[in-house]
Amino acid sequence: MARQISDKYWNPEIETMSPKEMERLQLTRLKKQLTYNYNHSLLYRSKFEQAGMKPEDVRSFEDFRLIPLTGKDEQRRTQEESIQELGHPFGPRTVTCAPQEKIVRLSSTSGTSGMPTLYALTQRDVDIVSELHARRFWMVGIRPGHRILQGLSLSMFTGGLPLSQGIMHAGACAVPVGSDSGTRRVLDFITLTAPHVLFTTPSFAQYLLEQSPKLIGKDASTLGIKWVFPVGEPGAGNIEVRKLLSKGFGGAQICDQTGGGHPFQGAECVEPPDVYSGMHFTSADYCVLELVDPKTKKHVEMKDGATGEMVMTFLEWEGTPFQRYAYGDLLQVFATPCACGRPGLRFKIIGRADDMLIVKGVNVFPEAIKKEILKFVPRVTGFFRIVLDRPGPSVVPPLKIRIEYGQGMQETDVAILEAEMQRAFRDTVRITPRFLWVPPESIPRETKKTKLIEISESKRASLLRGEGGQVAWIVCCEFCS
Ligand SMILES: [Zn+2]
């Protein structure tokens, strides 16, 4: 039967399945997937050997959890070995299981912490991703006739072509401008194409609010954006970010989403900006989700409110199937029924495990700092960086925050503001930071994911030898970008 625009679910059979039925479906698919992984990846085979198991020994989720985790470092190492040995990154030691002739698309990570890791997809995988994208877009109200402007990096990223294909599969219209093309171009295409949805990182959305009046002479609230889908950073679960973006874009619906060029996907159902109850896990039929303790890597039970490091296993997957793959994102899960009636788990992305800082025994996430700072907009611009003298997680107090004061603030205003902010931080974040004040627009704006933590290099002076034997000293300090 053809889908009607009034239909609540894209795939009613799967989306209304009870958690028990879903577990049964997952287990059936899991057994098949593990056999496939064992037969096509030497790395995965070694995981079974370490546990003294064969795929047929996995009869339950408890058995499955005996297989050791896979990490990004292993993916990167085997990828490098494959390039050295075979001249390509898809050899049998890697986690890519499909033969090269079946691979039709590659995506990669940003590679900010080393060589990018690649994800290969077969046509079947591509079709599943498109189906999963369509499922969650439909859930939040996207229908044919809606235009979705892609304000994310397009190059190799899952927010590029994979997202375009998902948008088209849902019957909506993709507007693939890309944040790399520049802020002006993104704003020009918003004016030209009148998109209903802006799909971007929370920090780039925030930057567009600031730049829209300057670059195109229009307040962002007049651009006609109905939905903002903030992805790529945990910001959309942050009430202050939600309120700021919703107000800035003229009352737009804020709908938290996973980026997702793979089968771990979720989206928030319709909620007001000052409420957040997590994203529905909309892809449980293609992904087994687990939580482990980030330090001990022991299993954490997925009960309501539980937090832990996310571990993913893809199902029905051919290209690069993740198997008990842990890559450092911390999640909180919610199991209480949602008002929308959709069954299954919801989750919130708390942050990267390696972004957590410890200040005098207090665990601090950059998102908690952002939340507090945004309460002081417009006396601050909302742009800041956490400056560390050495890599975390332990920080010798005070924690330093380079922060922009708002337009028109005088020195005396800043002194009053600083005292207020320090009190607020003491009460809510339980730390007293030192603010390093800088004028508006002196902190670099990122069109991609924003790294809120930077390492101060004030003690480092590097000697650069330029053309013609000139010698120049470049002193990098925490105020240089
Ligand atoms: Zn819901």
Side-chain angles (χ1 to χ4, degrees):
M1 205 177 78
R3 198 174 280 113
Q4 306 292 319
I5 57 164
S6 57
D7 287 349
K8 180 173 175 183
Y9 298 103
W10 174 266
N11 182 338
E13 191 197 344
I14 292 294
E15 294 176 76
T16 59
M17 198 174 259
S18 74
K20 275 277 159 264
E21 277 178 283
M22 182 57 79
E23 272 188 19
R24 268 198 296 276
L25 175 65
Q26 284 185 322
L27 193 57
T28 306
R29 291 184 167 183
L30 181 63
K31 290 174 185 171
K32 197 172 116 202
Q33 183 75 52
L34 294 177
T35 304
Y36 175 82
N37 296 355
Y38 181 90
N39 289 332
H40 292 88
S41 160
L42 293 175
L43 180 67
Y44 286 149
R45 183 175 289 226
S46 75
K47 299 283 172 186
F48 284 93
E49 284 162 0
Q50 282 172 48
M53 292 168 82
K54 288 270 172 58
E56 55 269 28
D57 297 327
V58 176
R59 294 186 189 87
S60 65
F61 288 107
E62 287 73 28
D63 296 336
F64 167 58
R65 292 198 289 265
L66 298 172
I67 304 168
L69 300 175
T70 308
K72 192 172 211 163
D73 49 335
E74 290 175 299
Q75 188 186 2
R76 185 173 286 131
R77 176 177 55 76
T78 53
Q79 186 179 290
E80 281 171 13
E81 285 168 1
S82 175
I83 292 168
Q84 277 165 16
E85 285 171 26
L86 304 167
H88 65 74
F90 313 111
R93 290 180 201 281
T94 70
V95 294
T96 294
C97 292
Q100 288 181 71
E101 62 274 18
K102 283 195 79 179
I103 297 171
V104 299
R105 188 167 84 200
L106 296 176
S107 292
S108 82
T109 54
S110 56
T112 45
S113 52
M115 183 198 268
T117 45
L118 289 168
Y119 305 94
L121 292 90
T122 66
Q123 186 58 51
R124 180 187 157 79
D125 301 336
V126 167
D127 293 343
I128 293 172
V129 169
S130 294
E131 176 68 19
L132 292 174
H133 278 312
R135 197 184 279 180
R136 64 194 173 118
F137 293 152
W138 197 267
M139 175 179 105
V140 303
I142 301 305
R143 296 291 182 271
H146 286 141
R147 286 176 295 283
I148 303 183
L149 186 134
Q150 293 173 252
L152 292 156
S153 175
L154 296 187
S155 168
M156 292 306 288
F157 183 53
T158 58
L161 181 66
L163 195 57
S164 303
Q165 287 182 311
I167 293 167
M168 289 153 63
H169 188 65
C173 172
V175 187
V177 185
S179 57
D180 336 57
S181 70
T183 312
R184 173 68 200 245
R185 190 169 162 85
V186 170
L187 287 166
D188 281 345
F189 272 95
I190 290 177
T191 312
L192 183 63
T193 64
H196 303 82
V197 182
L198 174 63
F199 215 130
T200 188
T201 60
S203 46
F204 189 57
Q206 196 185 334
Y207 184 48
L208 289 175
L209 293 183
E210 182 186 81
Q211 293 300 309
S212 184
K214 291 180 202 163
L215 295 179
I216 59 168
K218 287 180 186 169
D219 193 88
S221 63
T222 66
L223 296 175
I225 304 285
K226 300 276 182 298
W227 286 272
V228 177
F229 293 173
V231 296
E233 298 163 359
N238 182 327
I239 297 287
E240 296 307 322
V241 173
R242 298 167 67 77
K243 289 198 287 196
L244 181 95
L245 295 182
S246 178
K247 185 164 172 253
F249 285 101
Q253 180 76 42
I254 306 300
C255 183
D256 196 8
Q257 306 255 345
T258 58
H262 56 58
F264 171 72
Q265 297 209 9
E268 182 192 2
C269 61
V270 178
E271 292 184 300
D274 56 346
V275 174
Y276 184 72
S277 42
M279 287 180 260
H280 285 280
F281 177 35
T282 53
S283 59
D285 49 333
Y286 290 108
C287 179
V288 172
L289 179 63
E290 303 171 71
L291 292 183
V292 295
D293 182 290
K295 285 207 188 76
T296 65
K297 307 294 176 189
K298 290 231 168 73
H299 173 67
V300 172
E301 202 194 325
M302 300 267 262
K303 57 183 183 199
D304 188 48
T307 60
E309 184 179 349
M310 163 168 114
V311 174
M312 296 184 285
T313 302
F314 297 171
L315 304 174
E316 303 281 289
W317 207 251
E318 294 178 332
T320 305
F322 284 177
Q323 174 184 297
R324 300 210 74 217
Y325 193 98
Y327 71 56
D329 273 342
L330 296 180
L331 290 194
Q332 182 171 28
V333 296
F334 307 101
T336 51
C338 183
C340 74
R342 188 172 281 266
L345 280 177
R346 279 167 292 126
F347 62 87
K348 173 183 179 173
I349 297 172
I350 300 173
R352 301 274 313 156
D354 40 3
D355 278 350
M356 192 186 79
L357 301 172
I358 306 168
V359 187
K360 271 193 186 168
V362 177
N363 294 347
V364 181
F365 281 99
E367 277 305 311
I369 289 175
K370 184 171 184 175
K371 185 175 177 182
E372 205 51 42
I373 284 175
L374 290 183
K375 290 179 185 168
F376 292 89
V377 173
R379 290 196 284 164
V380 296
T381 63
F383 291 90
F384 73 98
R385 292 288 189 279
I386 296 162
V387 183
L388 303 183
D389 292 325
R390 58 188 67 84
S394 290
V395 177
V396 177
L399 181 73
K400 284 185 274 183
I401 301 173
R402 183 152 59 99
I403 179 168
E404 291 178 0
Y405 50 80
Q407 293 287 356
M409 291 283 285
Q410 304 299 318
E411 211 171 302
T412 46
D413 302 330
V414 173
I416 295 166
L417 173 64
E418 173 163 307
E420 263 180 65
M421 288 183 71
Q422 281 183 331
R423 263 199 308 279
F425 267 82
R426 252 196 321 272
D427 293 346
T428 53
V429 194
R430 296 190 294 135
I431 58 165
T432 308
R434 193 179 134 216
F435 294 107
L436 310 167
W437 293 100
V438 291
E441 294 189 52
S442 41
I443 291 173
R445 273 48 167 167
E446 303 289 344
T447 55
K448 298 179 187 170
K449 292 185 188 189
T450 299
K451 198 87 186 135
L452 294 175
I453 300 177
E454 59 187 35
I455 310 295
S456 150
E457 295 183 272
S458 53
K459 296 187 185 84
R460 194 188 71 169
S462 20
L463 180 65
L464 290 187
R465 188 173 295 275
E467 303 253 337
Q470 293 281 329
V471 174
W473 283 93
I474 307 292
V475 181
C476 303
C477 77
E478 60 208 27
F479 298 103
C480 301
S481 56

